[in-house]
PDB file of all heavy atoms in Angstrom:
ATOM      1  N   ILE B 298      19.941  17.362 -17.476  1.00 95.00           N
ATOM      2  CA  ILE B 298      20.915  18.434 -17.654  1.00 95.00           C
ATOM      3  C   ILE B 298      21.573  18.258 -19.015  1.00 95.00           C
ATOM      4  O   ILE B 298      22.020  17.166 -19.371  1.00 95.00           O
ATOM      5  CB  ILE B 298      21.965  18.399 -16.533  1.00 95.00           C
ATOM      6  CG1 ILE B 298      21.285  18.605 -15.172  1.00 95.00           C
ATOM      7  CG2 ILE B 298      23.032  19.464 -16.756  1.00 95.00           C
ATOM      8  CD1 ILE B 298      22.211  18.429 -13.987  1.00 95.00           C
ATOM      9  N   VAL B 308      21.078  26.311  -9.465  1.00 97.00           N
ATOM     10  CA  VAL B 308      21.105  25.272  -8.431  1.00 97.00           C
ATOM     11  C   VAL B 308      21.020  25.910  -7.051  1.00 97.00           C
ATOM     12  O   VAL B 308      21.812  26.801  -6.716  1.00 97.00           O
ATOM     13  CB  VAL B 308      22.391  24.423  -8.543  1.00 97.00           C
ATOM     14  CG1 VAL B 308      22.477  23.426  -7.391  1.00 97.00           C
ATOM     15  CG2 VAL B 308      22.428  23.712  -9.888  1.00 97.00           C
ATOM     16  N   ASN B 310      20.126  23.699  -4.091  1.00 97.00           N
ATOM     17  CA  ASN B 310      20.411  22.715  -3.044  1.00 97.00           C
ATOM     18  C   ASN B 310      20.694  21.348  -3.655  1.00 97.00           C
ATOM     19  O   ASN B 310      20.247  21.050  -4.778  1.00 97.00           O
ATOM     20  CB  ASN B 310      19.240  22.595  -2.065  1.00 97.00           C
ATOM     21  CG  ASN B 310      19.635  22.991  -0.657  1.00 97.00           C
ATOM     22  OD1 ASN B 310      20.705  22.613  -0.191  1.00 97.00           O
ATOM     23  ND2 ASN B 310      18.781  23.759   0.011  1.00 97.00           N
ATOM     24  N   ASN B 311      21.432  20.533  -2.896  1.00 97.00           N
ATOM     25  CA  ASN B 311      21.720  19.152  -3.281  1.00 97.00           C
ATOM     26  C   ASN B 311      21.337  18.239  -2.117  1.00 97.00           C
ATOM     27  O   ASN B 311      21.712  18.505  -0.971  1.00 97.00           O
ATOM     28  CB  ASN B 311      23.210  18.969  -3.575  1.00 97.00           C
ATOM     29  CG  ASN B 311      23.652  19.723  -4.816  1.00 97.00           C
ATOM     30  OD1 ASN B 311      23.506  19.249  -5.919  1.00 97.00           O
ATOM     31  ND2 ASN B 311      24.217  20.914  -4.615  1.00 97.00           N
ATOM     32  N   TYR B 312      20.618  17.171  -2.421  1.00 97.00           N
ATOM     33  CA  TYR B 312      20.205  16.218  -1.389  1.00 97.00           C
ATOM     34  C   TYR B 312      20.669  14.820  -1.798  1.00 97.00           C
ATOM     35  O   TYR B 312      20.261  14.311  -2.846  1.00 97.00           O
ATOM     36  CB  TYR B 312      18.683  16.221  -1.213  1.00 97.00           C
ATOM     37  CG  TYR B 312      18.106  17.588  -0.906  1.00 97.00           C
ATOM     38  CD1 TYR B 312      17.582  18.376  -1.929  1.00 97.00           C
ATOM     39  CD2 TYR B 312      18.089  18.087   0.396  1.00 97.00           C
ATOM     40  CE1 TYR B 312      17.045  19.629  -1.661  1.00 97.00           C
ATOM     41  CE2 TYR B 312      17.556  19.340   0.674  1.00 97.00           C
ATOM     42  CZ  TYR B 312      17.040  20.108  -0.357  1.00 97.00           C
ATOM     43  OH  TYR B 312      16.521  21.351  -0.091  1.00 97.00           O
ATOM     44  N   PHE B 313      21.517  14.225  -0.968  1.00 97.00           N
ATOM     45  CA  PHE B 313      22.034  12.895  -1.293  1.00 97.00           C
ATOM     46  C   PHE B 313      20.965  11.844  -1.011  1.00 97.00           C
ATOM     47  O   PHE B 313      20.427  11.758   0.088  1.00 97.00           O
ATOM     48  CB  PHE B 313      23.283  12.603  -0.460  1.00 97.00           C
ATOM     49  CG  PHE B 313      23.923  11.277  -0.793  1.00 97.00           C
ATOM     50  CD1 PHE B 313      24.343  11.003  -2.082  1.00 97.00           C
ATOM     51  CD2 PHE B 313      24.107  10.309   0.181  1.00 97.00           C
ATOM     52  CE1 PHE B 313      24.942   9.794  -2.410  1.00 97.00           C
ATOM     53  CE2 PHE B 313      24.697   9.092  -0.118  1.00 97.00           C
ATOM     54  CZ  PHE B 313      25.119   8.837  -1.418  1.00 97.00           C
ATOM     55  N   GLY B 316      21.590   6.359  -4.229  1.00 91.00           N
ATOM     56  CA  GLY B 316      22.004   6.016  -5.587  1.00 91.00           C
ATOM     57  C   GLY B 316      22.061   7.208  -6.514  1.00 91.00           C
ATOM     58  O   GLY B 316      22.498   7.090  -7.664  1.00 91.00           O
ATOM     59  N   TYR B 317      21.616   8.382  -6.047  1.00 95.00           N
ATOM     60  CA  TYR B 317      21.628   9.577  -6.883  1.00 95.00           C
ATOM     61  C   TYR B 317      21.526  10.807  -5.972  1.00 95.00           C
ATOM     62  O   TYR B 317      21.334  10.695  -4.753  1.00 95.00           O
ATOM     63  CB  TYR B 317      20.473   9.556  -7.890  1.00 95.00           C
ATOM     64  CG  TYR B 317      19.102   9.625  -7.247  1.00 95.00           C
ATOM     65  CD1 TYR B 317      18.419  10.841  -7.139  1.00 95.00           C
ATOM     66  CD2 TYR B 317      18.483   8.486  -6.743  1.00 95.00           C
ATOM     67  CE1 TYR B 317      17.173  10.918  -6.540  1.00 95.00           C
ATOM     68  CE2 TYR B 317      17.236   8.551  -6.146  1.00 95.00           C
ATOM     69  CZ  TYR B 317      16.588   9.765  -6.046  1.00 95.00           C
ATOM     70  OH  TYR B 317      15.355   9.838  -5.446  1.00 95.00           O
ATOM     71  N   TRP B 318      21.647  11.976  -6.580  1.00 97.00           N
ATOM     72  CA  TRP B 318      21.446  13.238  -5.869  1.00 97.00           C
ATOM     73  C   TRP B 318      20.148  13.888  -6.370  1.00 97.00           C
ATOM     74  O   TRP B 318      19.878  13.899  -7.570  1.00 97.00           O
ATOM     75  CB  TRP B 318      22.609  14.192  -6.121  1.00 97.00           C
ATOM     76  CG  TRP B 318      23.872  13.794  -5.418  1.00 97.00           C
ATOM     77  CD1 TRP B 318      24.789  12.871  -5.828  1.00 97.00           C
ATOM     78  CD2 TRP B 318      24.360  14.321  -4.180  1.00 97.00           C
ATOM     79  NE1 TRP B 318      25.828  12.776  -4.929  1.00 97.00           N
ATOM     80  CE2 TRP B 318      25.595  13.660  -3.898  1.00 97.00           C
ATOM     81  CE3 TRP B 318      23.905  15.273  -3.270  1.00 97.00           C
ATOM     82  CZ2 TRP B 318      26.350  13.931  -2.763  1.00 97.00           C
ATOM     83  CZ3 TRP B 318      24.664  15.552  -2.145  1.00 97.00           C
ATOM     84  CH2 TRP B 318      25.863  14.889  -1.888  1.00 97.00           C
ATOM     85  N   LEU B 319      19.366  14.401  -5.438  1.00 97.00           N
ATOM     86  CA  LEU B 319      18.186  15.188  -5.794  1.00 97.00           C
ATOM     87  C   LEU B 319      18.613  16.650  -5.777  1.00 97.00           C
ATOM     88  O   LEU B 319      19.061  17.163  -4.746  1.00 97.00           O
ATOM     89  CB  LEU B 319      17.052  14.938  -4.805  1.00 97.00           C
ATOM     90  CG  LEU B 319      15.706  15.600  -5.139  1.00 97.00           C
ATOM     91  CD1 LEU B 319      15.092  14.962  -6.379  1.00 97.00           C
ATOM     92  CD2 LEU B 319      14.743  15.486  -3.963  1.00 97.00           C
ATOM     93  N   ILE B 320      18.479  17.294  -6.925  1.00 97.00           N
ATOM     94  CA  ILE B 320      18.964  18.668  -7.082  1.00 97.00           C
ATOM     95  C   ILE B 320      17.773  19.622  -7.097  1.00 97.00           C
ATOM     96  O   ILE B 320      16.853  19.456  -7.904  1.00 97.00           O
ATOM     97  CB  ILE B 320      19.763  18.838  -8.397  1.00 97.00           C
ATOM     98  CG1 ILE B 320      20.750  17.672  -8.592  1.00 97.00           C
ATOM     99  CG2 ILE B 320      20.442  20.191  -8.422  1.00 97.00           C
ATOM    100  CD1 ILE B 320      21.827  17.578  -7.556  1.00 97.00           C
ATOM    101  N   LEU B 331      15.279  17.746  -9.756  1.00 97.00           N
ATOM    102  CA  LEU B 331      15.717  16.792 -10.757  1.00 97.00           C
ATOM    103  C   LEU B 331      16.725  15.845 -10.118  1.00 97.00           C
ATOM    104  O   LEU B 331      17.321  16.144  -9.080  1.00 97.00           O
ATOM    105  CB  LEU B 331      16.339  17.511 -11.969  1.00 97.00           C
ATOM    106  CG  LEU B 331      17.554  18.414 -11.704  1.00 97.00           C
ATOM    107  CD1 LEU B 331      18.852  17.668 -11.944  1.00 97.00           C
ATOM    108  CD2 LEU B 331      17.496  19.657 -12.581  1.00 97.00           C
ATOM    109  N   SER B 332      16.902  14.691 -10.719  1.00 96.00           N
ATOM    110  CA  SER B 332      17.874  13.727 -10.203  1.00 96.00           C
ATOM    111  C   SER B 332      19.131  13.759 -11.059  1.00 96.00           C
ATOM    112  O   SER B 332      19.068  13.965 -12.273  1.00 96.00           O
ATOM    113  CB  SER B 332      17.272  12.319 -10.175  1.00 96.00           C
ATOM    114  OG  SER B 332      16.793  11.939 -11.442  1.00 96.00           O
ATOM    115  N   ASN B 333      20.287  13.548 -10.394  1.00 96.00           N
ATOM    116  CA  ASN B 333      21.563  13.585 -11.098  1.00 96.00           C
ATOM    117  C   ASN B 333      22.535  12.626 -10.414  1.00 96.00           C
ATOM    118  O   ASN B 333      22.392  12.317  -9.230  1.00 96.00           O
ATOM    119  CB  ASN B 333      22.134  15.009 -11.092  1.00 96.00           C
ATOM    120  CG  ASN B 333      23.232  15.198 -12.123  1.00 96.00           C
ATOM    121  OD1 ASN B 333      23.032  14.896 -13.302  1.00 96.00           O
ATOM    122  ND2 ASN B 333      24.372  15.703 -11.700  1.00 96.00           N
ATOM    123  N   SER B 334      23.518  12.173 -11.154  1.00 95.00           N
ATOM    124  CA  SER B 334      24.458  11.191 -10.600  1.00 95.00           C
ATOM    125  C   SER B 334      25.420  11.797  -9.590  1.00 95.00           C
ATOM    126  O   SER B 334      26.058  11.076  -8.828  1.00 95.00           O
ATOM    127  CB  SER B 334      25.251  10.535 -11.733  1.00 95.00           C
ATOM    128  OG  SER B 334      25.985  11.512 -12.452  1.00 95.00           O
ATOM    129  N   MET B 335      25.553  13.140  -9.601  1.00 95.00           N
ATOM    130  CA  MET B 335      26.479  13.789  -8.665  1.00 95.00           C
ATOM    131  C   MET B 335      25.904  15.136  -8.236  1.00 95.00           C
ATOM    132  O   MET B 335      24.978  15.665  -8.863  1.00 95.00           O
ATOM    133  CB  MET B 335      27.847  13.982  -9.322  1.00 95.00           C
ATOM    134  CG  MET B 335      27.823  14.847 -10.565  1.00 95.00           C
ATOM    135  SD  MET B 335      29.451  14.941 -11.362  1.00 95.00           S
ATOM    136  CE  MET B 335      29.562  13.263 -12.005  1.00 95.00           C
ATOM    137  N   ALA B 336      26.461  15.670  -7.157  1.00 96.00           N
ATOM    138  CA  ALA B 336      26.053  16.994  -6.696  1.00 96.00           C
ATOM    139  C   ALA B 336      26.553  18.061  -7.664  1.00 96.00           C
ATOM    140  O   ALA B 336      27.506  17.834  -8.426  1.00 96.00           O
ATOM    141  CB  ALA B 336      26.603  17.246  -5.294  1.00 96.00           C
ATOM    142  N   ILE B 337      25.893  19.224  -7.638  1.00 96.00           N
ATOM    143  CA  ILE B 337      26.252  20.322  -8.535  1.00 96.00           C
ATOM    144  C   ILE B 337      26.540  21.560  -7.693  1.00 96.00           C
ATOM    145  O   ILE B 337      25.873  21.809  -6.685  1.00 96.00           O
ATOM    146  CB  ILE B 337      25.116  20.601  -9.543  1.00 96.00           C
ATOM    147  CG1 ILE B 337      24.779  19.331 -10.338  1.00 96.00           C
ATOM    148  CG2 ILE B 337      25.490  21.735 -10.487  1.00 96.00           C
ATOM    149  CD1 ILE B 337      23.596  19.479 -11.258  1.00 96.00           C
ATOM    150  N   GLU B 338      27.520  22.307  -8.084  1.00 96.00           N
ATOM    151  CA  GLU B 338      27.932  23.487  -7.325  1.00 96.00           C
ATOM    152  C   GLU B 338      26.761  24.444  -7.127  1.00 96.00           C
ATOM    153  O   GLU B 338      26.005  24.744  -8.060  1.00 96.00           O
ATOM    154  CB  GLU B 338      29.063  24.204  -8.062  1.00 96.00           C
ATOM    155  CG  GLU B 338      29.619  25.390  -7.298  1.00 96.00           C
ATOM    156  CD  GLU B 338      30.758  26.063  -8.044  1.00 96.00           C
ATOM    157  OE1 GLU B 338      31.244  25.472  -9.042  1.00 96.00           O
ATOM    158  OE2 GLU B 338      31.162  27.173  -7.646  1.00 96.00           O
TER     159      GLU B 338
END
Side-chain angles (χ1 to χ4, degrees):
I298 299 173
V308 175
N310 242 317
N311 293 277
Y312 304 96
F313 183 58
Y317 65 97
W318 288 82
L319 186 68
I320 315 296
L331 59 95
S332 55
N333 196 53
S334 60
M335 60 184 71
I337 303 175
E338 184 179 349

